[in-house]
Amino acid sequence: PRPFRGGLAHLALTTGAPVVPLGQAGARRVTSGSRPKQLAGLVTAPLRRPALHVHVGAPVRLTGDRASATVRAHAAVTSAWRTAAERIGEPVGLAA
């Protein structure tokens, strides 16, 4: 996942609500590229049956300042994404 902005941490810190990290992998196997390629991907997906996976991680209570809470939320979502990618055999590399 790309770097997070501070809005999620601000909401979680203000309300006290937990953050539920969610990671998904495989969507690019259904649709990616130009519009014609996306349409072709949607039409052929039922035949190709591409692997998709969504992983919902354990809720995380953010504490501390906004910057550290943002880093912690990003780490939780990255972990959920890595789990989803590993389940369908996508390489996770060193991307964060």
Side-chain angles (χ1 to χ4, degrees), residues 15-66:
T15 64
V19 172
V20 179
L22 186 136
Q24 66 86 24
R28 290 185 182 164
R29 295 178 182 186
V30 177
T31 62
S32 64
S34 64
R35 186 163 301 250
K37 285 185 177 181
Q38 290 178 8
L39 292 173
L42 282 173
V43 170
T44 62
L47 300 173
R48 293 182 293 116
R49 299 184 56 86
L52 304 172
H53 188 78
V54 174
H55 178 78
V56 179
V60 177
R61 293 250 180 224
L62 300 181
T63 58
D65 65 355
R66 190 167 162 176

